[in-house]
Amino acid sequence: SKMYSETLFEHIKNPRKVGTIEDADGVEEVGNPVCADTMTFSIKVKNNRIEDIKFQTFGCGAAIAVSSMVSEMAKGKTLEEATKITNKMVAEALEGLPKQKMHCSNLGADALRKAIENYRVKKAGFIPPMEAKKCYCPVCDLEKPMEGEYCTGCGREVSEEEESHAH
């Protein structure tokens, strides 16, 4: 198994941007019940850019490193650029993650996107209509458009009847 890269290890030892932002513009927590990791990102937005970002992560070292790297990558970016950060980009920036920790990078990219979504909803003052019918993965609690048969988070097959009593 691949050892942690120096970059990954560095972010585990000295995570950047830990904490919460007073009166944040967008905040969102995502969790993965499988490994009990949770990440909360709070963002401060100015002129459509992420002016500041902080995170609180409870979880393994990899999850902390991921949150740290995501916050570094997102700071100073426009909201559009920040929503384009993918788990692959995060893993590459950390010079690779052990395979069993890849879901952590997914969580980081997700948490950031959700914090941005939260900001947009707050700013608009209403909750935008659902674009696609969503269904829910009971394993990792992720929403995904109905078209997909598999959960993007854990790869598990998701059936329609599950979502009817998941809410």
Side-chain angles (χ1 to χ4, degrees):
S1 66
K2 188 173 181 301
M3 286 299 290
Y4 282 18
S5 74
E6 258 176 65
T7 311
L8 178 57
F9 197 63
E10 166 57 26
H11 276 270
I12 293 173
K13 279 194 318 199
N14 304 304
R16 331 283 196 260
K17 314 247 133 286
V18 179
T20 49
I21 296 177
E22 282 298 304
D23 71 349
D25 294 318
V27 185
E28 197 60 72
E29 177 185 1
V30 299
N32 184 337
V34 179
C35 55
D37 289 341
T38 64
M39 291 179 185
T40 306
F41 276 91
S42 40
I43 57 172
K44 201 83 184 131
V45 181
K46 195 175 178 185
N47 302 329
N48 200 44
R49 276 184 192 279
I50 295 179
E51 189 184 35
D52 198 9
I53 178 164
K54 293 256 197 297
F55 73 86
Q56 282 187 308
T57 294
F58 299 96
C60 62
I64 290 165
V66 161
S67 315
S68 174
M69 182 55 89
V70 167
S71 53
E72 273 204 340
M73 289 166 80
K75 193 172 175 181
K77 289 217 172 29
T78 66
L79 296 178
E80 290 67 35
E81 289 165 343
T83 49
K84 291 195 180 87
I85 294 174
T86 63
N87 56 336
K88 197 165 172 288
M89 286 157 73
V90 177
E92 278 168 10
L94 288 166
E95 291 165 27
L97 275 171
K99 196 173 179 328
Q100 74 276 16
K101 296 293 181 188
M102 274 311 282
H103 64 267
C104 296
S105 60
N106 210 7
L107 213 56
D110 257 21
L112 173 63
R113 261 196 303 277
K114 290 205 158 132
I116 291 170
E117 223 168 273
N118 174 256
Y119 160 72
R120 286 177 164 154
V121 167
K122 273 199 209 157
K123 195 177 147 216
F126 71 98
I127 295 183
M130 289 290 219
E131 280 148 42
K133 186 165 183 281
K134 299 275 191 190
C135 85
Y136 225 71
C137 173
V139 174
C140 54
D141 208 34
L142 273 184
E143 282 181 342
K144 55 172 215 49
M146 273 313 292
E147 296 85 63
E149 277 171 54
Y150 295 95
C151 171
T152 46
C154 63
R156 181 178 181 280
E157 206 167 337
V158 180
S159 63
E160 270 174 76
E161 34 97 353
E162 261 169 3
E163 56 113 18
S164 53
H165 55 77
H167 290 285

